[in-house]
Amino acid sequence: APVPVLAMDAIAQPAPGTPPTVAPREGGAGAPDAGERPRRVLVAEDSLTSRLLLKHILEGAGYEVETAVDGLAALSLLRQRAFDALVSDVEMPRLDGLALTVRIRADAKTAELPVVLVTSLQTPAERERGLQAGADAYLTKGAFDHDQLLAALRRLA
C-alpha cells in the first residue's frame, strides 16, 4: 500500500522570503546561553506526524526533545529522567493527556513540571477539563501556531 512521506523540514519552514517568526530567547526557555544546558522537553503524542512536527519545531528553537507514543510511555520517561516541560496530546491510547497531567500533579517529583496540552479538542468545556486536570496551557491543533507553543514554553519553563 502507498505510504505518504512528509518532508518535516519543508513543513516546519516558513515560505521563501518570509522573515523568521520566532523571537530570540529573553531569559526564558529555549536556546541556552553559553555554558547552559538546553531545556529538555518531553513530547507525548500518539500521532507520528504530529509527534515529529512538534519535535522538529522544538528542536529548531533550541530545546532538547524526547518523545513518547502515549501517556504511559511519557510517565515512564518522567520517572527515569528530569524534564523542564511536557507537551502532550489529550486523546491517546493507554493513558490520555488528562490522566497523565493528573498523575504528574499528584507526584511530588513532577508536581511543578509545566504541562502544555496541544489537542484537537477545542470546546470551552474540553479546555476547562484540561486546565482543571492541571495543565498550565491548552492549545488547539485547529488553530495551531508554533509561535504560540514556543511563547507558552518560554513563559512556563
Side-chain angles (χ1 to χ4, degrees):
V3 177
V5 178
L6 299 174
M8 298 310 290
D9 289 340
I11 291 173
Q13 295 299 321
T18 304
T21 56
V22 177
R25 185 172 85 95
E26 293 181 8
D33 294 328
E36 186 181 313
R37 75 166 175 80
R39 299 286 185 153
R40 294 173 49 113
V41 176
L42 176 58
V43 172
E45 170 64 67
D46 62 322
S47 163
L48 176 63
T49 303
S50 295
R51 189 169 58 244
L52 291 176
L53 180 59
L54 288 167
K55 179 177 170 55
H56 184 79
I57 290 168
L58 295 171
E59 285 178 341
Y63 292 95
E64 182 180 306
V65 180
E66 289 195 46
T67 61
V69 298
D70 61 28
L72 200 55
L75 197 57
S76 177
L77 285 169
L78 287 167
R79 289 178 179 151
Q80 296 170 29
R81 303 187 241 325
F83 290 90
D84 296 301
L86 169 73
V87 175
S88 179
D89 187 14
V90 170
E91 297 179 302
M92 296 183 289
R94 299 195 310 160
L95 184 66
D96 69 34
L98 297 178
L100 172 62
T101 303
V102 167
R103 288 174 118 179
I104 286 169
R105 294 295 176 242
D107 184 340
K109 180 181 170 190
T110 57
E112 299 300 317
L113 180 74
V115 175
V116 177
L117 295 177
V118 179
T119 180
S120 59
L121 303 175
Q122 50 191 337
T123 68
E126 291 163 333
R127 178 184 189 83
E128 185 61 30
R129 282 183 51 220
L131 297 175
Q132 284 182 351
D136 297 290
Y138 190 100
L139 308 175
T140 58
K141 291 178 181 176
F144 183 73
D145 175 1
H146 72 273
D147 288 334
Q148 191 177 25
L149 171 63
L150 296 173
L153 286 173
R154 277 193 300 273
R155 177 176 53 85
L156 296 169

